[in-house]
Amino acid sequence: MNPDSKLALMASRRQQSFSVRDAVGNYLPLMHELASRIALVGRICNNGYDIPFPYAQEFAYLQFRCICELIALGCLQLHGDLPDTFSKSIKSEWNAHKIMALISRSHSHCFPQCVKRTVGDHGWKIEANFNPNALTFSEFKSLYSECGRFLHRGSIRSIQAAGPLGQADLERLLRWHEKTVALMNEHLIGRSSANAFYLISLRTTSGFPECSLFTKNAKGGMEVESFKMSIDDSNFENVILAGNMKPVSLQDV
């Protein structure tokens, strides 16, 4: 067997072993942490912690950086059947730019899309990319780069060149916050096969994110499988961190 055939066989086996249920089970805790961090940004922008704005700005950009990384790690979970996600290096990668660049090589529409759901005479209507204010893939990359600039004290030259912070700086934070909320509050992520997509809601009556998997059937309709998560909140001060959500139980809805 030639090397190309071996690689194709390995990819096929890994794709067959990919578990949607496990992927969703790993994705939802990341989204719970993301929702908590989005709420923290909203609070800090409204002076919820009563600290001077320069430090509040740093805190907000730290949250935005984590939010970008959670989005990228979440995409890596849900696209775990793509060939470019099989390498050991991507499993240890933390840089959001690099993760999304690798995933998008195999699936150009790997990034989340904002969603609006309405109920009509014939059931649910799902409209993707309805909000022009939602964070785009290009803006996501810009925000992540911007975070890097604000989370370093800088050089002597940049410190000397910096001017006082003002209302425009606060409004910039608010715009990033609004764009992130508009994208992630309810979003879908399409699978590479184009026959299925994940629909995720951050805020639900359960108190945690929930996910529905829509898959086309042979009759041209959609089969829907929905999941919700629950956690052991005995150590509640740590539950916003995905790694501390133990145990996570995924339940069929």
Side-chain angles (χ1 to χ4, degrees):
M1 184 180 292
N2 62 52
D4 289 340
S5 298
K6 286 184 178 180
L7 288 174
L9 180 59
M10 290 174 60
S12 176
R13 287 175 177 172
R14 287 174 177 171
Q15 286 170 337
Q16 290 173 8
S17 66
F18 174 75
S19 166
V20 167
R21 187 180 185 85
D22 288 346
V24 172
N26 291 323
Y27 185 78
L28 291 181
L30 295 175
M31 292 302 100
H32 183 52
E33 180 180 337
L34 180 143
S36 299
R37 292 187 183 278
I38 287 176
L40 287 173
V41 175
R43 186 170 177 181
I44 200 74
C45 287
N46 286 290
N47 202 29
Y49 293 101
D50 193 25
I51 60 177
F53 180 69
Y55 304 113
Q57 183 189 50
E58 290 177 3
F59 179 84
Y61 274 111
L62 173 61
Q63 301 311 314
F64 280 131
R65 185 181 178 96
C66 290
I67 287 166
C68 288
E69 290 168 356
L70 288 166
I71 291 172
L73 291 170
C75 288
L76 182 58
Q77 290 289 349
L78 295 187
H79 297 308
D81 55 338
L82 295 177
D84 284 321
T85 67
F86 298 157
S87 68
K88 292 182 179 179
S89 60
I90 198 172
K91 300 297 183 184
S92 60
E93 183 59 66
W94 55 267
N95 185 287
H97 274 172
K98 293 180 180 179
I99 291 172
M100 295 306 301
L102 283 169
I103 299 172
S104 60
R105 285 196 319 189
S106 300
H107 181 24
S108 58
H109 298 292
C110 61
F111 193 69
Q113 303 174 47
C114 67
V115 167
K116 178 172 68 175
R117 285 195 289 180
T118 55
V119 181
D121 296 335
H122 303 289
W124 285 102
K125 177 183 178 182
I126 300 173
E127 182 180 358
N129 291 322
F130 75 97
N131 189 342
N133 190 47
L135 191 75
T136 65
F137 192 14
S138 175
E139 289 171 334
F140 164 86
K141 292 185 283 187
S142 297
L143 174 58
Y144 190 61
S145 296
E146 191 170 307
C147 291
R149 294 198 303 273
F150 278 93
L151 294 178
H152 298 284
R153 194 60 191 93
S155 64
I156 290 296
R157 179 178 295 178
S158 65
I159 290 173
Q160 292 174 342
L165 299 176
Q167 184 64 26
D169 298 287
L170 173 59
E171 290 174 355
R172 186 170 184 83
L173 289 180
L174 290 170
R175 283 196 299 274
W176 282 130
H177 182 256
E178 291 171 357
K179 284 179 172 293
T180 307
V181 171
L183 172 66
M184 299 302 293
N185 190 50
E186 190 157 37
H187 60 278
L188 69 79
I189 297 180
R191 299 193 65 185
S192 60
S193 64
N195 291 322
F197 63 88
Y198 304 94
L199 179 62
I200 302 97
S201 300
L202 292 189
R203 300 299 187 187
T204 68
T205 55
S206 71
F208 301 103
E210 296 182 6
C211 175
S212 295
L213 174 67
F214 288 74
T215 307
K216 289 182 181 179
N217 58 30
K219 298 179 180 179
M222 302 293 291
E223 302 289 340
V224 183
E225 188 175 10
S226 297
F227 307 98
K228 63 179 180 180
M229 61 171 281
S230 63
I231 63 173
D232 176 4
D233 61 356
S234 58
N235 194 17
F236 189 74
E237 66 270 21
N238 287 323
V239 299
I240 70 162
L241 298 176
N244 291 329
M245 295 183 192
K246 307 293 186 184
V248 176
S249 80
L250 198 63
Q251 305 162 358
D252 296 332
V253 178

